[in-house]
Amino acid sequence: MIVDRARIEEALPGYELGAELGRGAFGLVIAARHRQLARDVAIKVLGRPGDSVEESRFRAEARVLSDLDHPHVVRLYDYVEHGGLFLLVMERLSGGSLVLDRVRPEYACALGLAVADALEAAHRLRVLHRDVKPDNLLFAGDGTVKVTDFGIAKIVEGTTAASSSFVGSPVYMAPEQAALGRLGPATDLYSLSVVLYQLLTGRPLFPAELPPPAMLLAHLSQEPPPMPDVAARVGGVVLRGLAKDIDDRQPTARSYALDLASAAAESFGGDWLARAGLPVRVDEEVRDAARATRSFGTTVGRRLPDWPWGLPPARLDEVLPVAPSRTRAAARPAVTDLPPVKEQRSRTLVTTPAPEWLLRRRAPRFRGRAPAIGAALLGAVLAAVVVGLGVSTFDTGPAVVPGPAGVVASGRSLYVSDPAHSQVRRFDSGRVSRAGGTVVAGSGRDGFSGDGGRAVDAELSEPGPLAVDGDGNLYIADVGNRRIRKVGTDGRISTVLGGGSRALSSRLDASQVRLTQPFSIAVSGQGVLWVAEQQRNRIGRVKPDGTVEAYVGTGQPGFGGDGLYASWALLNAPTAVALNPSGDRLYVADQGNRRIREVRVGSGFIRTHAGDGTSGPFKNNVQATTVGLSSVYALAATADGSVYLGGTDARRIDSQGFVHPVAGLRTISLAVTADGTIYLVAEQENGSGDRVHRLYRRSPSGALFRLPW
């Protein structure tokens, strides 16, 4: 290709262009230097502007690199479109690309850790590289290896992760890529294993002189030659990564890195990483595995109990149903082949009504007990509105008398939301009454106003779930306004999520998001906010800087993903979230799937914590994963590893996974204090047949008291 350098200089006036560094089908790379910053860069120039496919890939690479902030991924400084030119400005890597000679095994394993950790970061963002090879493994001046060229990376959207076109390099291509089959994290791990095989043995996996069709056939049908001159444990990790069946490989890049790190430690000693001669920047979990010298046995030909929480890996086709792979005689069941969940309505599977306080739209107009005809009319209108939103259907039976909705404990204070009066009150935990306490948010008028001012002067609309962070800031699910509001310790209120026009997804600012109905919220001690979006089948995370991430769920209803990344999993109408006090475990009431899911916040893995997928009753003194699960409206998690469930009744799952009774009350919200006191908001019928919300306290001894609300 011929590129007018003057046009590039016009597009990038702050840079001084240098020599050409390389070229290929994508275009070319030119050295440059930022004049004011004195920073050396590489400018990647699209070779075929006007080709919609190539332009789309170029933009996709820019998006991927902008989100990937990892020490072993090439850094993107800028993306520019100007006068028909498409330019990526990246860090210049002066150390050249990986040379496939035999190297010291410690060096090869260290490189494998670095690349696997970089792939983990990409996979967590639902990005598959699809072209891991030596030419795309470059070195910085200090010897740090960097994964580059995400030009054909696949950004997995919804439930699709299949090869729709033949892309990649035949020498390093996974069998499922060659067969245009189902892809997943293990696809990139196969390519990495091809690289490591040659670094460790000094010979290619299959003869390099094979023509492309024969090379692809070899990947599809020939078993890898043995590695007798390589440490058995290390060789076992690599050979497992070269399994023909994607389900027989390590399921994630993190599990690959942990397996390789522990294998190298066993084979070469606990200080092997320091002797590798390669800078490796990985987290402490991988470093700890690299220091361990305990024997785990060989990995060849069988699955090891080394998956998250000791569980076998979930099959990716349970998460991402696509066309059958041509590498198999028959496809495994996809999500659409699984037994249907009962009570399917529209695209969202909803098995239980929402908490009843959500029915009281504009409730301040009805003080005390609402007239029967008014309540019936209100219920009918609301049912029609909610069904139109695709949430659920409700009967228009007995009236709901205004009462508490959300409750959260913090120190000696108890916060209670009162949607009927559009307020949130704070009580001393020993003195709770409807007329008492201190109003901390809400003027008593239903509406939306007040951001930036005093919280007590602001207007709220149906305030519901509550949460408090480690600094004492109060978070309110302002359900009627489809926002999450924050009351700071200075008493001023602001919106921290919602009010925008876009659906919750990654790469957004919190102010751009439009929430549907935030059924539940949780917040860490550091102010990281979690929100359950039932209608969108996702759990969102908001960082203190205001950036949003769709952390759990693809957005499509269904069940799948246990043992894999939470962002790849399928949820079905999540109704509640809870975070343990240390902030490293997130629990999700996956209501449509009749399960409680647990997410390890650090690694991002998900598993089932309770429920077997069937509808209750939830039994006591049994393992929580072996029984059915009924309605769950609220969750709470404590430092001793217990998880409390509020729904048809209230129960506790202890740290060993056994179920215990808490209270036989239909519970819509609950909070647990450090001393074991439990506060519950229960929905009951009064003598007139109306449903009322009442507040209860259960002492650590088990005594249950109704509080005067």
Side-chain angles (χ1 to χ4, degrees), residues 357-383:
W357 60 268
L358 287 175
L359 294 179
R360 293 196 305 275
R361 309 289 294 181
R362 303 296 176 256
R365 297 180 183 178
F366 300 93
R367 301 299 183 185
R369 180 180 173 186
I373 186 170
L377 178 59
L378 178 64
V381 172
L382 291 174

Side-chain angles (χ1 to χ4, degrees), residues 397-446:
V400 178
V401 177
V407 60
V408 66
S410 177
R412 291 187 53 82
S413 296
L414 184 73
Y415 295 87
V416 181
S417 62
D418 183 358
H421 297 88
S422 302
Q423 291 179 324
V424 177
R425 294 176 178 269
R426 182 182 65 237
F427 301 90
D428 179 274
S429 57
R431 300 178 180 178
V432 178
S433 66
R434 181 169 185 171
T438 302
V439 174
V440 295
S443 64
R445 296 183 301 273
D446 181 86

Side-chain angles (χ1 to χ4, degrees), residues 190-432:
Y190 183 95
S191 302
L192 173 59
S193 297
V194 176
V195 173
L196 293 182
Y197 183 97
Q198 186 159 353
L199 289 177
L200 289 165
T201 64
R203 60 183 183 274
L205 179 63
F206 301 118
E209 63 272 12
L210 288 176
M215 181 67 73
L216 296 177
L217 183 61
H219 284 299
L220 285 165
S221 59
Q222 292 185 27
E223 291 301 320
M227 307 169 69
D229 50 350
V230 176
R233 269 277 285 154
V234 172
V237 174
V238 175
L239 290 176
R240 182 181 181 182
L242 292 171
K244 301 300 181 189
D245 192 324
I246 189 174
D247 297 322
D248 291 333
R249 301 176 210 141
Q250 295 86 348
T252 67
R254 172 52 60 92
S255 60
Y256 189 100
L258 292 173
D259 204 4
L260 184 61
S262 61
E266 178 191 332
S267 303
F268 313 127
D271 62 342
W272 73 271
L273 196 54
R275 296 185 280 104
L278 183 75
V280 176
R281 298 175 176 86
V282 293
D283 63 28
E284 283 304 310
E285 183 181 15
V286 178
R287 287 194 172 275
D288 287 345
R291 300 184 188 106
T293 57
R294 179 169 63 89
S295 175
F296 293 90
T298 179
T299 62
V300 181
R302 66 185 181 92
R303 298 184 189 274
L304 286 181
D306 58 356
W307 308 113
W309 311 287
L311 296 177
R315 293 197 301 268
L316 263 177
D317 49 6
E318 292 177 347
V319 187
L320 304 168
V322 297
S325 169
R326 300 177 190 174
T327 62
R328 308 177 196 173
R332 289 187 168 90
V335 172
T336 52
D337 301 323
L338 298 177
V341 180
K342 296 180 180 179
E343 299 183 66
Q344 181 171 358
R345 299 190 181 100
S346 185
R347 293 184 62 193
T348 302
L349 304 182
V350 181
T351 56
T352 59
E356 295 294 343
W357 60 268
L358 287 175
L359 294 179
R360 293 196 305 275
R361 309 289 294 181
R362 303 296 176 256
R365 297 180 183 178
F366 300 93
R367 301 299 183 185
R369 180 180 173 186
I373 186 170
L377 178 59
L378 178 64
V381 172
L382 291 174
V385 170
V386 174
V387 170
L389 292 173
V391 181
S392 183
T393 59
F394 307 100
D395 61 47
T396 56
V400 178
V401 177
V407 60
V408 66
S410 177
R412 291 187 53 82
S413 296
L414 184 73
Y415 295 87
V416 181
S417 62
D418 183 358
H421 297 88
S422 302
Q423 291 179 324
V424 177
R425 294 176 178 269
R426 182 182 65 237
F427 301 90
D428 179 274
S429 57
R431 300 178 180 178
V432 178

Side-chain angles (χ1 to χ4, degrees), residues 5 74 180 296 310 353 380-381 386-387 594 690:
R5 294 170 67 94
V74 65
L180 299 183
F296 293 90
V381 172
V386 174
V387 170
R594 302 295 187 183
D690 296 330

Side-chain angles (χ1 to χ4, degrees), residues 155-180:
I155 302 176
V156 182
E157 299 290 352
T159 59
T160 301
S163 295
S164 57
S165 59
F166 188 82
V167 294
S169 302
V171 174
Y172 305 95
M173 188 176 290
E176 59 272 16
Q177 279 181 283
L180 299 183

